[in-house]
Amino acid sequence: MSEVSSPTLISILQQINMGVVLLDDQARVHFWNDFMAVNSGLRPEQALGKALCELFPDLPEPWLRKKLDSVFMLENMAFSSWQQRPHPFNFAGSRPITGQAQKMFQNATFFPLREADGVIRLVCLALTDATDIAMQQLELAELNALLSAEKEEQARLIKRLEETQAQLLQSEKMAAIGQLAAGVAHEINNPVGFVNSNLGSLKGYVDEVFALINSYQALIEQHGNEALKSELAALNKKADLDFLISDLAELIRESQGGLDRVKRIVVDLRDFSHVDSSEWNMADLHQGLDSTLNVIWNEIKYRADIIKEYGDIPAVEAIGAQLNQVFMNLIINASHALGEGGHIWLRTGQVDDEVFVQVQDDGCGIAAENLGRLFEPFFTTKPVGKGTGLGLSLAYSIVNKHHGRLEVSSVVGQGTTFTVWLPKTQPKAAEVASA
Amino acid sequence: MTSQLTVLSEDQRDALQELMNVAMGQSADRLARLTGTFVTLSVPRVHAVTQTLDKVLTDLGIGDEPQLVTRQSFLGKLRGEVLVCFAVSGAGELAELMGYENNDVASGDELLMDVTNILTGACINGLAAQIQAMVSFGAPSLMARAKALREVLAEQIAQGYQSLVLEVRFEVASHSFTCDLLVCITDDSVAVVIEAVDKLLSEF
Ligand SMILES: Nc1ncnc2c1ncn2[C@@H]1O[C@H](COP(=O)(O)OP(=O)(O)O)[C@@H](O)[C@H]1O
Ligand SMILES: [Mg+2]
């Protein structure tokens, strides 16, 4: 096998399809092969002896300097990769027709050229065209980014679907309970009505009968028949008339109280089921709050100090009567939560396009495990007779219908804050349908 | 297969340590001349990864902090890879020393590659010269950004793989910069190292 001659080797270096450049420690060109000549447009006679940075003003000189220094001093290779420095030489893209790349992506290796005497005088710069691989990788990276964006979008949609489903479930539950409540309210309303009116008559009659008995006794007193008087006294005593009179009145009062309570429950139930009564107007929430306070003043005045901190808010598009119901429930609940000398703060204000009404108390607070169930119909922690568990679920559905939000935060032992958020105006029907 | 590593004796280990010391001393000297700054390369610690990698990382105490990890392979009779562990913030402190514009963010990665290449060359050329083996290098690349080394290795190194690990700390005190090098030499090319070590031992 014959040795390959030096001229042949030089031809190979000259014609190989990668850039081969020899540089001295001043970065002057000592060899310039065809690849470099073709891509740069500089013929060897134009390049030889010139400093590389002179030929390519875009090449950062300190960068090249350090690369060469490190090769000379450490007698070690140095690298430049298209990923970090895509186009060290400003060569045109190597896929002029099908490629998107305007410029050629390049990888470069610098290695020390040790000569026969062991001294390193030149560094070889070997430049390869990495356009194909770079394009592929960049396309892949783009695809990857696209895929992960799509994945994120899907995750977001799935989450929204779940939320919507939960909402749907909740509103279905509400609707079913609403129907049930309407039926029950209707059924109870009639008997309660006639019992109530009968009880009213009964009270009147009883009062009359007692008045009659009083008159009889007065008459007997007047006529002074001692025997009759003492016999009457004995009869009265035997029947315990004084007790009868006072207890009968008490019984009737209690029954009326009981009936009132039944009526209130029925009203609650009816309101709950007839959420869609009344008209949409521009409602003044401060006025609504004040009139609500009026209605329930008797129930709360002994328990709570009311502190109003009204902000500057515009009128909102709402069914005023229904919002009053919401406020009433929140304030009454707050008053129930209070101990001796408690406070209720009523705040209003505006954040961006939303108006809020806040009812805060410094009462007992709500246990964490109950927070999630507050808005469930019939959820109550109050003794039978005092709570129906409908107040908050009613409030929730009203606020929902107003495209608002009802938020609660609470610390056990410190108090509770309910906040009603309402949009200033209701979205148009078309927007609602498409939302 | 009995591993070369399991039979590394105490003497051999010491000799290897010595071999590395000489190599590192020469490298540090050249680095100092290149950068015009005083640099230190710590005395390398030799670990045979015969137990689990996890254990070695624990010994090294560098496995759990998130880091920026680069790697570069060296090929030939002496084969393996060098992993360089930088702080997550990279090597910006060295930008000026290495001829980069200080505020050029895009060149941050390139700077890391340069530092990796120079340190790898310094360690491996030194060692290769000591044991008279020829080596060539692959281009350095980024292995992980802001990940714990333990995680990176668990993902990328086959379970039960054995190699000789030399740990070297590189420090440029004047620029308050340090990074750790893990020089991992493949099990099958450790024989070359051991041979050289034995030669060194027999000379004393
Ligand atoms: N301000 C509040 N402080 C403490 N607990 C509250 C408050 N508001 C509501 N709750 C709790 O929520 C439950 C449900 O309230 P609600 O739906 O109005 O029904 P009710 O008042 O009839 O019990 C109450 O029983 C109570 O436990
Ligand atoms: Mg209530």
Side-chain angles (χ1 to χ4, degrees):
Chain A
M1 199 171 79
S2 66
E3 283 249 323
V4 180
S5 70
S6 279
T8 310
L9 286 177
I10 291 174
S11 300
I12 291 173
L13 282 181
Q14 198 68 52
Q15 292 166 36
I16 195 167
N17 75 333
M18 62 185 288
V20 179
V21 182
L22 290 181
L23 299 167
D24 63 19
D25 60 354
Q26 300 302 308
R28 281 185 301 244
V29 176
H30 287 248
F31 183 80
W32 192 249
N33 78 345
D34 294 352
F35 181 96
M36 295 303 289
V38 165
N39 281 294
S40 69
L42 292 168
R43 275 169 285 122
E45 58 269 30
Q46 292 174 291
L48 290 177
K50 296 266 172 53
L52 201 56
C53 289
E54 220 177 288
L55 298 172
F56 298 91
D58 288 349
L59 266 183
E61 192 166 359
W63 173 80
L64 183 66
R65 188 64 291 126
K66 271 293 166 207
K67 290 274 183 211
L68 290 180
D69 282 356
S70 79
V71 177
F72 277 114
M73 280 192 198
L74 302 177
E75 302 181 3
N76 186 31
M77 299 167 117
F79 300 86
S80 168
S81 150
W82 68 267
Q83 276 151 313
Q84 282 91 41
R85 191 172 287 272
H87 319 290
F89 293 95
N90 198 354
F91 292 169
S94 53
R95 277 165 55 180
I97 307 296
T98 61
Q100 309 282 323
Q102 300 292 316
K103 294 183 187 175
M104 183 197 290
F105 288 85
Q106 300 142 30
N107 283 330
T109 309
F110 300 78
F111 59 92
L113 212 65
R114 197 180 292 278
E115 288 170 45
D117 59 3
V119 181
I120 293 168
R121 296 185 187 85
L122 294 173
V123 164
C124 180
L125 162 57
L127 193 73
T128 53
D129 176 0
T131 307
D132 267 340
I133 257 193
M135 298 289 286
Q136 273 173 18
Q137 280 221 15
L138 293 176
E139 271 164 30
L140 273 181
E142 213 168 283
L143 203 67
N144 237 336
L146 214 72
L147 279 178
S148 56
E150 234 163 66
K151 210 172 114 186
E152 255 166 51
E153 176 67 15
Q154 272 176 4
R156 209 179 57 74
L157 283 178
I158 288 174
K159 187 152 172 279
R160 227 181 86 194
L161 211 66
E162 277 168 1
E163 280 168 8
T164 313
Q165 200 192 18
Q167 265 175 24
L168 215 67
L169 226 64
Q170 176 73 3
S171 47
E172 238 168 62
K173 202 156 83 178
M174 298 285 240
I177 288 162
Q179 274 177 356
L180 188 76
V184 171
H186 185 74
E187 289 302 318
I188 292 177
N189 219 17
N190 283 337
V192 163
F194 71 72
V195 170
N196 194 42
S197 89
N198 286 357
L199 202 62
S201 312
L202 191 62
K203 185 170 183 297
Y205 297 162
V206 166
D207 286 346
E208 273 176 43
V209 170
F210 283 149
L212 194 62
I213 290 173
N214 271 343
S215 308
Y216 288 163
Q217 282 184 337
L219 273 178
I220 287 164
E221 201 66 40
Q222 255 172 30
H223 290 286
N225 184 330
E226 286 307 319
L228 199 56
K229 258 161 68 180
S230 70
E231 207 163 321
L232 194 67
L235 276 176
N236 278 351
K237 196 162 183 220
K238 190 164 171 239
D240 206 352
L241 186 64
D242 289 344
F243 172 77
L244 274 185
I245 290 174
S246 71
D247 200 41
L248 206 55
E250 176 76 25
L251 285 180
I252 286 174
R253 206 169 41 246
E254 267 181 21
S255 301
Q256 273 180 326
L259 266 186
D260 279 347
R261 231 151 60 191
V262 173
K263 276 197 311 203
R264 210 173 56 226
I265 294 174
V266 169
V267 168
D268 266 4
L269 279 172
R270 206 195 49 213
D271 288 341
F272 174 72
S273 50
H274 291 294
V275 183
D276 43 16
S277 60
S278 234
E279 297 265 292
W280 288 93
N281 278 315
M282 294 311 285
D284 179 344
L285 298 185
H286 291 158
Q287 206 181 358
L289 275 168
D290 289 341
S291 60
T292 305
L293 271 177
N294 271 340
V295 174
I296 54 176
W297 189 242
N298 270 321
E299 204 165 325
I300 58 175
K301 65 182 170 191
Y302 298 113
R303 257 190 294 237
D305 264 347
I306 304 282
I307 302 152
K308 292 187 197 172
E309 293 175 4
Y310 289 175
D312 195 10
I313 53 169
V316 300
E317 192 181 343
I319 303 175
Q322 292 191 359
L323 286 188
N324 291 350
Q325 280 257 276
V326 174
F327 303 150
M328 182 175 89
N329 281 314
L330 296 182
I331 297 169
I332 289 182
N333 279 350
S335 78
H336 285 168
L338 294 176
E340 196 83 355
H343 303 82
I344 297 176
W345 288 267
L346 300 180
R347 292 193 195 91
T348 60
Q350 183 178 359
V351 176
D352 297 330
D353 271 345
E354 282 182 313
V355 169
F356 70 84
V357 174
Q358 196 172 62
V359 180
Q360 184 184 351
D361 64 67
D362 53 3
C364 58
I366 302 170
E369 69 262 28
N370 289 341
L371 270 180
R373 306 189 53 200
L374 289 185
F375 302 116
E376 273 178 28
F378 300 115
F379 173 78
T380 180
T381 58
K382 294 170 190 172
V384 179
K386 196 164 182 200
T388 60
L390 289 174
L392 283 180
S393 63
L394 173 66
Y396 181 90
S397 63
I398 291 175
V399 172
N400 221 15
K401 208 176 132 196
H402 283 75
H403 300 99
R405 290 170 286 135
L406 181 52
E407 292 175 351
V408 57
S409 69
S410 183
V411 178
V412 172
Q414 286 185 25
T416 305
T417 307
F418 281 90
T419 311
V420 182
W421 290 94
L422 295 167
K424 276 191 281 188
T425 52
Q426 295 297 310
K428 304 262 178 308
E431 290 170 32
V432 178
S434 71
Chain B
M1 181 182 102
T2 46
S3 166
Q4 302 276 4
L5 298 173
T6 46
V7 295
L8 202 65
S9 75
E10 196 69 11
D11 276 352
Q12 283 173 323
R13 188 172 295 225
D14 288 348
L16 182 58
Q17 190 90 49
E18 185 53 35
L19 208 75
M20 290 299 294
N21 290 355
V22 175
M24 289 308 125
Q26 291 171 351
S27 301
D29 184 48
R30 286 182 179 176
L31 282 177
R33 272 192 287 142
L34 174 68
T35 56
T37 338
F38 182 70
V39 303
T40 42
L41 284 168
S42 72
V43 175
R45 284 196 281 160
V46 178
H47 305 267
V49 184
T50 50
Q51 307 115 328
T52 60
L53 250 168
D54 260 11
K55 170 116 180 6
V56 173
L57 289 180
T58 308
D59 290 350
L60 301 180
I62 55 169
D64 299 311
E65 301 279 302
Q67 285 179 312
L68 219 165
V69 186
T70 59
R71 46 162 254 232
Q72 186 172 10
S73 43
F74 48 94
L75 307 164
K77 263 209 301 183
L78 187 63
R79 252 162 31 96
E81 285 179 50
V82 175
L83 310 183
V84 187
C85 309
F86 296 92
V88 175
S89 55
E93 298 90 339
L94 300 185
E96 213 181 326
L97 279 188
M98 301 299 300
Y100 288 95
E101 301 288 322
N102 227 350
N103 46 10
D104 187 357
V105 184
S107 67
D109 280 357
E110 195 176 10
L111 170 63
L112 288 173
M113 296 307 137
D114 271 3
V115 174
T116 302
N117 179 54
I118 286 176
L119 291 177
T120 301
C123 291
I124 299 305
N125 280 333
L127 182 63
Q130 291 288 308
I131 65 176
Q132 289 166 357
M134 239 174 62
V135 282
S136 117
F137 296 90
S141 61
L142 189 69
M143 195 171 178
R145 213 187 279 278
K147 249 191 177 176
L149 186 59
R150 200 184 291 281
E151 228 177 293
V152 177
L153 294 184
E155 278 168 16
Q156 309 213 5
I157 296 189
Q159 269 295 315
Y161 187 81
Q162 300 195 338
S163 63
L164 179 67
V165 176
L166 312 171
E167 180 207 7
V168 181
R169 169 159 286 223
F170 171 66
E171 186 168 4
V172 186
S174 58
H175 290 63
S176 45
F177 173 86
T178 59
C179 62
D180 288 301
L181 277 74
L182 294 183
V183 181
C184 307
I185 301 171
T186 58
D187 192 11
D188 52 2
S189 65
V190 165
V192 186
V193 180
I194 290 178
E195 208 176 291
V197 163
D198 285 341
K199 207 163 133 225
L200 194 75
L201 282 174
S202 67
E203 282 167 10
F204 286 100

